[in-house]
Amino acid sequence: MIEQFAKKIVQWRYLVVIATFLAVGFAASGVKNLYMDTNYRVFFGPGNPQLQAFDKLQETYTKTDNIVFMLAPKNKNVFSKDVLSLAYELTEDAWQLPFNSRIDSLSNYQHTVADEDELVVEDLILDPEDLDAERLAYIKGVVLNEPQLRQRMVSPEGHVAAVIATVRLPEKALDEVPTLVAAARALRDKYEAKYPDVEIKMTGIVMMNNAFSEASMADMSSLVPLMFLVVLITLVVLLRSVSGTITTIFVIAMSILAAMG
């Protein structure tokens, strides 16, 4: 039976080749519908109980998608005038990020103090120009003894501090996350240039989502060509035939196009 099948293919080889090209072309036409989704929800089915509980939590309270700017001074001391000035300026600028809804940092923490019979609530850092040694020591004491700040906005050792931008993505377009990340990185580059003694690292849900697509694109631009090169060298060594190697590569390429489509 297999022998008869092979004879028929050889007999109608031109028709088989044309039909193969048509079938691959039809299947590969679906490639235009491929897109890179940066939403972590694609890893869970719609009926996933953990995802449903998470969505319900966000509907009840608010979304927690964020970008976290980690300020890491080289001297490992965030309670200096330069670092706190950076936190203040970055906090002010971060309000302009796309889809931003809230900025939390040491500078805009609402600190409450008692003034006789009155309670005064104000930003912890009102003006970076007023940060003298006495004020810096006061801020350090407040931050390290405040549970809402310690281990959340600053490390217990005081060697890193955070500026957290909470965002509300409409989830209506695929370029929302890349646009937001590009704006955040531009902000990081601006302040790293202005404060060279402070390294600004970025993390958060939005950065994680963006990393999925960037890692995939990096693999496609490096690993895929490398894979084809290894296959090509292997075929040349094993087949020792130019036509056989080209034909095999052609079959592999058509198979990939059909599968992706």
Side-chain angles (χ1 to χ4, degrees), residues 218-256:
D219 287 348
M220 291 176 64
S221 62
S222 58
L223 292 182
V224 173
L226 182 61
M227 177 270 295
F228 269 105
L229 179 61
V230 171
V231 170
L232 178 62
I233 294 174
T234 304
L235 289 174
V236 170
V237 172
L238 294 178
L239 298 179
R240 298 180 184 180
S241 168
V242 175
S243 60
T245 300
I246 294 176
T247 301
T248 305
I249 290 293
F250 196 65
V251 170
I252 294 173
M254 289 199 302
S255 300
I256 293 174

PDB file of all heavy atoms in Angstrom, residues 218-256:
ATOM      1  N   ALA A 218      13.442  38.641  21.954  1.00  0.00           N
ATOM      2  CA  ALA A 218      14.888  38.418  21.991  1.00  0.00           C
ATOM      3  C   ALA A 218      15.230  37.005  21.529  1.00  0.00           C
ATOM      4  O   ALA A 218      16.206  36.787  20.799  1.00  0.00           O
ATOM      5  CB  ALA A 218      15.412  38.666  23.403  1.00  0.00           C
ATOM      6  N   ASP A 219      14.413  36.033  21.954  1.00  0.00           N
ATOM      7  CA  ASP A 219      14.637  34.645  21.519  1.00  0.00           C
ATOM      8  C   ASP A 219      14.461  34.510  20.009  1.00  0.00           C
ATOM      9  O   ASP A 219      15.241  33.819  19.340  1.00  0.00           O
ATOM     10  CB  ASP A 219      13.676  33.707  22.238  1.00  0.00           C
ATOM     11  CG  ASP A 219      14.054  33.497  23.703  1.00  0.00           C
ATOM     12  OD1 ASP A 219      15.174  33.888  24.073  1.00  0.00           O
ATOM     13  OD2 ASP A 219      13.232  32.954  24.455  1.00  0.00           O
ATOM     14  N   MET A 220      13.447  35.170  19.482  1.00  0.00           N
ATOM     15  CA  MET A 220      13.187  35.078  18.043  1.00  0.00           C
ATOM     16  C   MET A 220      14.306  35.708  17.221  1.00  0.00           C
ATOM     17  O   MET A 220      14.586  35.274  16.100  1.00  0.00           O
ATOM     18  CB  MET A 220      11.853  35.742  17.713  1.00  0.00           C
ATOM     19  CG  MET A 220      10.636  34.992  18.246  1.00  0.00           C
ATOM     20  SD  MET A 220       9.078  35.855  17.941  1.00  0.00           S
ATOM     21  CE  MET A 220       9.021  35.833  16.150  1.00  0.00           C
ATOM     22  N   SER A 221      14.935  36.718  17.772  1.00  0.00           N
ATOM     23  CA  SER A 221      15.996  37.400  17.020  1.00  0.00           C
ATOM     24  C   SER A 221      17.365  36.748  17.187  1.00  0.00           C
ATOM     25  O   SER A 221      18.279  37.031  16.421  1.00  0.00           O
ATOM     26  CB  SER A 221      16.080  38.867  17.456  1.00  0.00           C
ATOM     27  OG  SER A 221      16.418  38.954  18.830  1.00  0.00           O
ATOM     28  N   SER A 222      17.509  35.869  18.197  1.00  0.00           N
ATOM     29  CA  SER A 222      18.821  35.247  18.430  1.00  0.00           C
ATOM     30  C   SER A 222      18.774  33.724  18.368  1.00  0.00           C
ATOM     31  O   SER A 222      19.519  33.099  17.612  1.00  0.00           O
ATOM     32  CB  SER A 222      19.375  35.696  19.787  1.00  0.00           C
ATOM     33  OG  SER A 222      18.470  35.345  20.831  1.00  0.00           O
ATOM     34  N   LEU A 223      17.862  33.116  19.152  1.00  0.00           N
ATOM     35  CA  LEU A 223      17.841  31.659  19.214  1.00  0.00           C
ATOM     36  C   LEU A 223      17.350  31.018  17.926  1.00  0.00           C
ATOM     37  O   LEU A 223      17.868  29.975  17.502  1.00  0.00           O
ATOM     38  CB  LEU A 223      16.964  31.210  20.392  1.00  0.00           C
ATOM     39  CG  LEU A 223      17.484  31.525  21.791  1.00  0.00           C
ATOM     40  CD1 LEU A 223      16.544  30.971  22.847  1.00  0.00           C
ATOM     41  CD2 LEU A 223      18.881  30.960  21.987  1.00  0.00           C
ATOM     42  N   VAL A 224      16.330  31.628  17.295  1.00  0.00           N
ATOM     43  CA  VAL A 224      15.789  31.031  16.062  1.00  0.00           C
ATOM     44  C   VAL A 224      16.834  31.013  14.943  1.00  0.00           C
ATOM     45  O   VAL A 224      17.050  29.973  14.308  1.00  0.00           O
ATOM     46  CB  VAL A 224      14.504  31.760  15.626  1.00  0.00           C
ATOM     47  CG1 VAL A 224      14.050  31.255  14.251  1.00  0.00           C
ATOM     48  CG2 VAL A 224      13.397  31.528  16.656  1.00  0.00           C
ATOM     49  N   PRO A 225      17.506  32.144  14.650  1.00  0.00           N
ATOM     50  CA  PRO A 225      18.569  32.076  13.629  1.00  0.00           C
ATOM     51  C   PRO A 225      19.683  31.102  13.995  1.00  0.00           C
ATOM     52  O   PRO A 225      20.215  30.400  13.123  1.00  0.00           O
ATOM     53  CB  PRO A 225      19.090  33.521  13.585  1.00  0.00           C
ATOM     54  CG  PRO A 225      17.959  34.359  14.063  1.00  0.00           C
ATOM     55  CD  PRO A 225      17.292  33.532  15.115  1.00  0.00           C
ATOM     56  N   LEU A 226      20.026  31.039  15.305  1.00  0.00           N
ATOM     57  CA  LEU A 226      21.060  30.105  15.734  1.00  0.00           C
ATOM     58  C   LEU A 226      20.612  28.665  15.523  1.00  0.00           C
ATOM     59  O   LEU A 226      21.405  27.807  15.099  1.00  0.00           O
ATOM     60  CB  LEU A 226      21.376  30.342  17.214  1.00  0.00           C
ATOM     61  CG  LEU A 226      22.476  29.473  17.825  1.00  0.00           C
ATOM     62  CD1 LEU A 226      23.796  29.713  17.107  1.00  0.00           C
ATOM     63  CD2 LEU A 226      22.625  29.758  19.310  1.00  0.00           C
ATOM     64  N   MET A 227      19.328  28.400  15.786  1.00  0.00           N
ATOM     65  CA  MET A 227      18.792  27.063  15.574  1.00  0.00           C
ATOM     66  C   MET A 227      18.881  26.666  14.104  1.00  0.00           C
ATOM     67  O   MET A 227      19.287  25.549  13.762  1.00  0.00           O
ATOM     68  CB  MET A 227      17.340  27.003  16.058  1.00  0.00           C
ATOM     69  CG  MET A 227      16.631  25.681  15.839  1.00  0.00           C
ATOM     70  SD  MET A 227      15.758  25.576  14.240  1.00  0.00           S
ATOM     71  CE  MET A 227      14.507  26.825  14.447  1.00  0.00           C
ATOM     72  N   PHE A 228      18.504  27.586  13.214  1.00  0.00           N
ATOM     73  CA  PHE A 228      18.580  27.298  11.783  1.00  0.00           C
ATOM     74  C   PHE A 228      20.026  27.061  11.350  1.00  0.00           C
ATOM     75  O   PHE A 228      20.293  26.218  10.483  1.00  0.00           O
ATOM     76  CB  PHE A 228      17.965  28.445  10.971  1.00  0.00           C
ATOM     77  CG  PHE A 228      16.500  28.256  10.683  1.00  0.00           C
ATOM     78  CD1 PHE A 228      15.545  28.984  11.358  1.00  0.00           C
ATOM     79  CD2 PHE A 228      16.091  27.340   9.724  1.00  0.00           C
ATOM     80  CE1 PHE A 228      14.198  28.802  11.089  1.00  0.00           C
ATOM     81  CE2 PHE A 228      14.748  27.150   9.444  1.00  0.00           C
ATOM     82  CZ  PHE A 228      13.797  27.889  10.132  1.00  0.00           C
ATOM     83  N   LEU A 229      20.951  27.797  11.934  1.00  0.00           N
ATOM     84  CA  LEU A 229      22.364  27.617  11.585  1.00  0.00           C
ATOM     85  C   LEU A 229      22.846  26.237  11.998  1.00  0.00           C
ATOM     86  O   LEU A 229      23.550  25.547  11.232  1.00  0.00           O
ATOM     87  CB  LEU A 229      23.207  28.699  12.273  1.00  0.00           C
ATOM     88  CG  LEU A 229      24.722  28.627  12.027  1.00  0.00           C
ATOM     89  CD1 LEU A 229      25.028  28.780  10.537  1.00  0.00           C
ATOM     90  CD2 LEU A 229      25.452  29.690  12.838  1.00  0.00           C
ATOM     91  N   VAL A 230      22.479  25.797  13.194  1.00  0.00           N
ATOM     92  CA  VAL A 230      22.870  24.462  13.671  1.00  0.00           C
ATOM     93  C   VAL A 230      22.262  23.382  12.779  1.00  0.00           C
ATOM     94  O   VAL A 230      22.935  22.407  12.399  1.00  0.00           O
ATOM     95  CB  VAL A 230      22.427  24.268  15.137  1.00  0.00           C
ATOM     96  CG1 VAL A 230      22.634  22.810  15.570  1.00  0.00           C
ATOM     97  CG2 VAL A 230      23.191  25.205  16.060  1.00  0.00           C
ATOM     98  N   VAL A 231      20.963  23.560  12.423  1.00  0.00           N
ATOM     99  CA  VAL A 231      20.305  22.583  11.546  1.00  0.00           C
ATOM    100  C   VAL A 231      20.990  22.547  10.188  1.00  0.00           C
ATOM    101  O   VAL A 231      21.225  21.472   9.615  1.00  0.00           O
ATOM    102  CB  VAL A 231      18.816  22.940  11.388  1.00  0.00           C
ATOM    103  CG1 VAL A 231      18.178  22.089  10.284  1.00  0.00           C
ATOM    104  CG2 VAL A 231      18.078  22.730  12.699  1.00  0.00           C
ATOM    105  N   LEU A 232      21.335  23.705   9.659  1.00  0.00           N
ATOM    106  CA  LEU A 232      21.992  23.784   8.347  1.00  0.00           C
ATOM    107  C   LEU A 232      23.330  23.062   8.359  1.00  0.00           C
ATOM    108  O   LEU A 232      23.634  22.261   7.455  1.00  0.00           O
ATOM    109  CB  LEU A 232      22.171  25.253   7.953  1.00  0.00           C
ATOM    110  CG  LEU A 232      22.898  25.513   6.623  1.00  0.00           C
ATOM    111  CD1 LEU A 232      22.106  24.911   5.466  1.00  0.00           C
ATOM    112  CD2 LEU A 232      23.105  27.005   6.421  1.00  0.00           C
ATOM    113  N   ILE A 233      24.146  23.323   9.387  1.00  0.00           N
ATOM    114  CA  ILE A 233      25.460  22.671   9.472  1.00  0.00           C
ATOM    115  C   ILE A 233      25.303  21.162   9.611  1.00  0.00           C
ATOM    116  O   ILE A 233      26.028  20.379   8.973  1.00  0.00           O
ATOM    117  CB  ILE A 233      26.250  23.245  10.667  1.00  0.00           C
ATOM    118  CG1 ILE A 233      26.582  24.719  10.418  1.00  0.00           C
ATOM    119  CG2 ILE A 233      27.528  22.444  10.899  1.00  0.00           C
ATOM    120  CD1 ILE A 233      27.234  25.406  11.607  1.00  0.00           C
ATOM    121  N   THR A 234      24.338  20.735  10.437  1.00  0.00           N
ATOM    122  CA  THR A 234      24.098  19.297  10.627  1.00  0.00           C
ATOM    123  C   THR A 234      23.682  18.626   9.324  1.00  0.00           C
ATOM    124  O   THR A 234      24.161  17.530   8.991  1.00  0.00           O
ATOM    125  CB  THR A 234      23.011  19.078  11.693  1.00  0.00           C
ATOM    126  OG1 THR A 234      23.396  19.724  12.915  1.00  0.00           O
ATOM    127  CG2 THR A 234      22.801  17.590  11.951  1.00  0.00           C
ATOM    128  N   LEU A 235      22.796  19.283   8.572  1.00  0.00           N
ATOM    129  CA  LEU A 235      22.339  18.708   7.301  1.00  0.00           C
ATOM    130  C   LEU A 235      23.471  18.617   6.286  1.00  0.00           C
ATOM    131  O   LEU A 235      23.581  17.622   5.552  1.00  0.00           O
ATOM    132  CB  LEU A 235      21.194  19.558   6.738  1.00  0.00           C
ATOM    133  CG  LEU A 235      19.858  19.466   7.476  1.00  0.00           C
ATOM    134  CD1 LEU A 235      18.862  20.474   6.912  1.00  0.00           C
ATOM    135  CD2 LEU A 235      19.291  18.055   7.381  1.00  0.00           C
ATOM    136  N   VAL A 236      24.298  19.642   6.243  1.00  0.00           N
ATOM    137  CA  VAL A 236      25.434  19.618   5.309  1.00  0.00           C
ATOM    138  C   VAL A 236      26.369  18.463   5.637  1.00  0.00           C
ATOM    139  O   VAL A 236      26.848  17.754   4.739  1.00  0.00           O
ATOM    140  CB  VAL A 236      26.193  20.963   5.353  1.00  0.00           C
ATOM    141  CG1 VAL A 236      27.506  20.856   4.582  1.00  0.00           C
ATOM    142  CG2 VAL A 236      25.344  22.077   4.771  1.00  0.00           C
ATOM    143  N   VAL A 237      26.635  18.262   6.944  1.00  0.00           N
ATOM    144  CA  VAL A 237      27.539  17.189   7.356  1.00  0.00           C
ATOM    145  C   VAL A 237      26.933  15.819   7.069  1.00  0.00           C
ATOM    146  O   VAL A 237      27.625  14.903   6.592  1.00  0.00           O
ATOM    147  CB  VAL A 237      27.864  17.330   8.860  1.00  0.00           C
ATOM    148  CG1 VAL A 237      28.654  16.109   9.347  1.00  0.00           C
ATOM    149  CG2 VAL A 237      28.661  18.597   9.122  1.00  0.00           C
ATOM    150  N   LEU A 238      25.622  15.666   7.330  1.00  0.00           N
ATOM    151  CA  LEU A 238      24.988  14.350   7.186  1.00  0.00           C
ATOM    152  C   LEU A 238      24.642  14.024   5.742  1.00  0.00           C
ATOM    153  O   LEU A 238      24.838  12.889   5.292  1.00  0.00           O
ATOM    154  CB  LEU A 238      23.729  14.290   8.061  1.00  0.00           C
ATOM    155  CG  LEU A 238      23.950  14.364   9.583  1.00  0.00           C
ATOM    156  CD1 LEU A 238      22.614  14.337  10.302  1.00  0.00           C
ATOM    157  CD2 LEU A 238      24.844  13.229  10.055  1.00  0.00           C
ATOM    158  N   LEU A 239      24.097  14.994   5.015  1.00  0.00           N
ATOM    159  CA  LEU A 239      23.627  14.724   3.658  1.00  0.00           C
ATOM    160  C   LEU A 239      24.714  14.893   2.599  1.00  0.00           C
ATOM    161  O   LEU A 239      24.703  14.198   1.578  1.00  0.00           O
ATOM    162  CB  LEU A 239      22.448  15.655   3.329  1.00  0.00           C
ATOM    163  CG  LEU A 239      21.201  15.500   4.202  1.00  0.00           C
ATOM    164  CD1 LEU A 239      20.121  16.497   3.781  1.00  0.00           C
ATOM    165  CD2 LEU A 239      20.655  14.075   4.131  1.00  0.00           C
ATOM    166  N   ARG A 240      25.624  15.833   2.835  1.00  0.00           N
ATOM    167  CA  ARG A 240      26.693  16.131   1.868  1.00  0.00           C
ATOM    168  C   ARG A 240      26.120  16.386   0.484  1.00  0.00           C
ATOM    169  O   ARG A 240      26.667  15.961  -0.544  1.00  0.00           O
ATOM    170  CB  ARG A 240      27.694  14.988   1.828  1.00  0.00           C
ATOM    171  CG  ARG A 240      28.385  14.752   3.154  1.00  0.00           C
ATOM    172  CD  ARG A 240      29.379  13.616   3.097  1.00  0.00           C
ATOM    173  NE  ARG A 240      29.960  13.363   4.395  1.00  0.00           N
ATOM    174  CZ  ARG A 240      30.882  12.409   4.624  1.00  0.00           C
ATOM    175  NH1 ARG A 240      31.294  11.618   3.626  1.00  0.00           N
ATOM    176  NH2 ARG A 240      31.366  12.241   5.839  1.00  0.00           N
ATOM    177  N   SER A 241      24.976  17.100   0.480  1.00  0.00           N
ATOM    178  CA  SER A 241      24.292  17.407  -0.782  1.00  0.00           C
ATOM    179  C   SER A 241      23.675  18.791  -0.665  1.00  0.00           C
ATOM    180  O   SER A 241      22.912  19.062   0.274  1.00  0.00           O
ATOM    181  CB  SER A 241      23.215  16.367  -1.079  1.00  0.00           C
ATOM    182  OG  SER A 241      22.379  16.797  -2.137  1.00  0.00           O
ATOM    183  N   VAL A 242      24.008  19.655  -1.623  1.00  0.00           N
ATOM    184  CA  VAL A 242      23.461  21.009  -1.592  1.00  0.00           C
ATOM    185  C   VAL A 242      21.958  20.988  -1.809  1.00  0.00           C
ATOM    186  O   VAL A 242      21.187  21.619  -1.084  1.00  0.00           O
ATOM    187  CB  VAL A 242      24.148  21.886  -2.667  1.00  0.00           C
ATOM    188  CG1 VAL A 242      23.480  23.266  -2.721  1.00  0.00           C
ATOM    189  CG2 VAL A 242      25.629  22.024  -2.377  1.00  0.00           C
ATOM    190  N   SER A 243      21.532  20.214  -2.833  1.00  0.00           N
ATOM    191  CA  SER A 243      20.098  20.161  -3.134  1.00  0.00           C
ATOM    192  C   SER A 243      19.318  19.519  -1.988  1.00  0.00           C
ATOM    193  O   SER A 243      18.220  19.970  -1.631  1.00  0.00           O
ATOM    194  CB  SER A 243      19.862  19.384  -4.426  1.00  0.00           C
ATOM    195  OG  SER A 243      20.346  18.046  -4.309  1.00  0.00           O
ATOM    196  N   GLY A 244      19.871  18.464  -1.388  1.00  0.00           N
ATOM    197  CA  GLY A 244      19.198  17.803  -0.269  1.00  0.00           C
ATOM    198  C   GLY A 244      19.078  18.714   0.936  1.00  0.00           C
ATOM    199  O   GLY A 244      18.036  18.747   1.615  1.00  0.00           O
ATOM    200  N   THR A 245      20.135  19.492   1.200  1.00  0.00           N
ATOM    201  CA  THR A 245      20.121  20.425   2.336  1.00  0.00           C
ATOM    202  C   THR A 245      19.094  21.529   2.126  1.00  0.00           C
ATOM    203  O   THR A 245      18.297  21.847   3.023  1.00  0.00           O
ATOM    204  CB  THR A 245      21.513  21.051   2.521  1.00  0.00           C
ATOM    205  OG1 THR A 245      22.470  20.009   2.768  1.00  0.00           O
ATOM    206  CG2 THR A 245      21.506  22.035   3.671  1.00  0.00           C
ATOM    207  N   ILE A 246      19.094  22.118   0.926  1.00  0.00           N
ATOM    208  CA  ILE A 246      18.156  23.201   0.618  1.00  0.00           C
ATOM    209  C   ILE A 246      16.719  22.708   0.693  1.00  0.00           C
ATOM    210  O   ILE A 246      15.836  23.377   1.254  1.00  0.00           O
ATOM    211  CB  ILE A 246      18.459  23.792  -0.768  1.00  0.00           C
ATOM    212  CG1 ILE A 246      19.820  24.486  -0.751  1.00  0.00           C
ATOM    213  CG2 ILE A 246      17.365  24.770  -1.187  1.00  0.00           C
ATOM    214  CD1 ILE A 246      20.248  25.012  -2.104  1.00  0.00           C
ATOM    215  N   THR A 247      16.485  21.522   0.151  1.00  0.00           N
ATOM    216  CA  THR A 247      15.132  20.956   0.160  1.00  0.00           C
ATOM    217  C   THR A 247      14.646  20.719   1.593  1.00  0.00           C
ATOM    218  O   THR A 247      13.500  21.036   1.938  1.00  0.00           O
ATOM    219  CB  THR A 247      15.104  19.631  -0.620  1.00  0.00           C
ATOM    220  OG1 THR A 247      15.534  19.861  -1.963  1.00  0.00           O
ATOM    221  CG2 THR A 247      13.702  19.052  -0.647  1.00  0.00           C
ATOM    222  N   THR A 248      15.521  20.179   2.436  1.00  0.00           N
ATOM    223  CA  THR A 248      15.144  19.908   3.827  1.00  0.00           C
ATOM    224  C   THR A 248      14.845  21.202   4.584  1.00  0.00           C
ATOM    225  O   THR A 248      13.866  21.287   5.329  1.00  0.00           O
ATOM    226  CB  THR A 248      16.262  19.134   4.537  1.00  0.00           C
ATOM    227  OG1 THR A 248      16.573  17.944   3.792  1.00  0.00           O
ATOM    228  CG2 THR A 248      15.840  18.761   5.942  1.00  0.00           C
ATOM    229  N   ILE A 249      15.701  22.212   4.399  1.00  0.00           N
ATOM    230  CA  ILE A 249      15.473  23.513   5.042  1.00  0.00           C
ATOM    231  C   ILE A 249      14.155  24.108   4.575  1.00  0.00           C
ATOM    232  O   ILE A 249      13.388  24.690   5.356  1.00  0.00           O
ATOM    233  CB  ILE A 249      16.642  24.472   4.732  1.00  0.00           C
ATOM    234  CG1 ILE A 249      17.909  24.024   5.449  1.00  0.00           C
ATOM    235  CG2 ILE A 249      16.282  25.903   5.137  1.00  0.00           C
ATOM    236  CD1 ILE A 249      17.849  24.142   6.955  1.00  0.00           C
ATOM    237  N   PHE A 250      13.872  23.942   3.291  1.00  0.00           N
ATOM    238  CA  PHE A 250      12.628  24.464   2.716  1.00  0.00           C
ATOM    239  C   PHE A 250      11.422  23.788   3.360  1.00  0.00           C
ATOM    240  O   PHE A 250      10.423  24.436   3.701  1.00  0.00           O
ATOM    241  CB  PHE A 250      12.633  24.243   1.205  1.00  0.00           C
ATOM    242  CG  PHE A 250      11.608  25.052   0.477  1.00  0.00           C
ATOM    243  CD1 PHE A 250      11.675  26.434   0.437  1.00  0.00           C
ATOM    244  CD2 PHE A 250      10.549  24.425  -0.169  1.00  0.00           C
ATOM    245  CE1 PHE A 250      10.729  27.184  -0.229  1.00  0.00           C
ATOM    246  CE2 PHE A 250       9.589  25.166  -0.838  1.00  0.00           C
ATOM    247  CZ  PHE A 250       9.689  26.553  -0.870  1.00  0.00           C
ATOM    248  N   VAL A 251      11.493  22.479   3.545  1.00  0.00           N
ATOM    249  CA  VAL A 251      10.403  21.728   4.178  1.00  0.00           C
ATOM    250  C   VAL A 251      10.216  22.179   5.630  1.00  0.00           C
ATOM    251  O   VAL A 251       9.089  22.361   6.105  1.00  0.00           O
ATOM    252  CB  VAL A 251      10.689  20.208   4.122  1.00  0.00           C
ATOM    253  CG1 VAL A 251       9.686  19.440   4.984  1.00  0.00           C
ATOM    254  CG2 VAL A 251      10.628  19.717   2.675  1.00  0.00           C
ATOM    255  N   ILE A 252      11.324  22.383   6.336  1.00  0.00           N
ATOM    256  CA  ILE A 252      11.246  22.848   7.730  1.00  0.00           C
ATOM    257  C   ILE A 252      10.588  24.218   7.801  1.00  0.00           C
ATOM    258  O   ILE A 252       9.720  24.467   8.644  1.00  0.00           O
ATOM    259  CB  ILE A 252      12.657  22.894   8.357  1.00  0.00           C
ATOM    260  CG1 ILE A 252      13.220  21.481   8.485  1.00  0.00           C
ATOM    261  CG2 ILE A 252      12.621  23.581   9.718  1.00  0.00           C
ATOM    262  CD1 ILE A 252      14.674  21.437   8.943  1.00  0.00           C
ATOM    263  N   ALA A 253      11.003  25.129   6.912  1.00  0.00           N
ATOM    264  CA  ALA A 253      10.458  26.479   6.911  1.00  0.00           C
ATOM    265  C   ALA A 253       8.970  26.463   6.625  1.00  0.00           C
ATOM    266  O   ALA A 253       8.177  27.178   7.273  1.00  0.00           O
ATOM    267  CB  ALA A 253      11.177  27.341   5.879  1.00  0.00           C
ATOM    268  N   MET A 254       8.532  25.644   5.645  1.00  0.00           N
ATOM    269  CA  MET A 254       7.103  25.558   5.326  1.00  0.00           C
ATOM    270  C   MET A 254       6.316  24.969   6.494  1.00  0.00           C
ATOM    271  O   MET A 254       5.187  25.386   6.771  1.00  0.00           O
ATOM    272  CB  MET A 254       6.877  24.730   4.057  1.00  0.00           C
ATOM    273  CG  MET A 254       7.318  25.428   2.779  1.00  0.00           C
ATOM    274  SD  MET A 254       6.557  24.716   1.308  1.00  0.00           S
ATOM    275  CE  MET A 254       7.097  23.024   1.439  1.00  0.00           C
ATOM    276  N   SER A 255       6.904  24.002   7.181  1.00  0.00           N
ATOM    277  CA  SER A 255       6.234  23.399   8.333  1.00  0.00           C
ATOM    278  C   SER A 255       6.027  24.425   9.451  1.00  0.00           C
ATOM    279  O   SER A 255       4.973  24.480  10.075  1.00  0.00           O
ATOM    280  CB  SER A 255       7.055  22.213   8.860  1.00  0.00           C
ATOM    281  OG  SER A 255       7.216  21.220   7.853  1.00  0.00           O
ATOM    282  N   ILE A 256       7.063  25.247   9.675  1.00  0.00           N
ATOM    283  CA  ILE A 256       6.942  26.286  10.701  1.00  0.00           C
ATOM    284  C   ILE A 256       5.877  27.299  10.338  1.00  0.00           C
ATOM    285  O   ILE A 256       5.053  27.694  11.174  1.00  0.00           O
ATOM    286  CB  ILE A 256       8.307  26.973  10.894  1.00  0.00           C
ATOM    287  CG1 ILE A 256       9.321  25.995  11.513  1.00  0.00           C
ATOM    288  CG2 ILE A 256       8.176  28.212  11.781  1.00  0.00           C
ATOM    289  CD1 ILE A 256      10.719  26.532  11.605  1.00  0.00           C
TER     290      ILE A 256
END
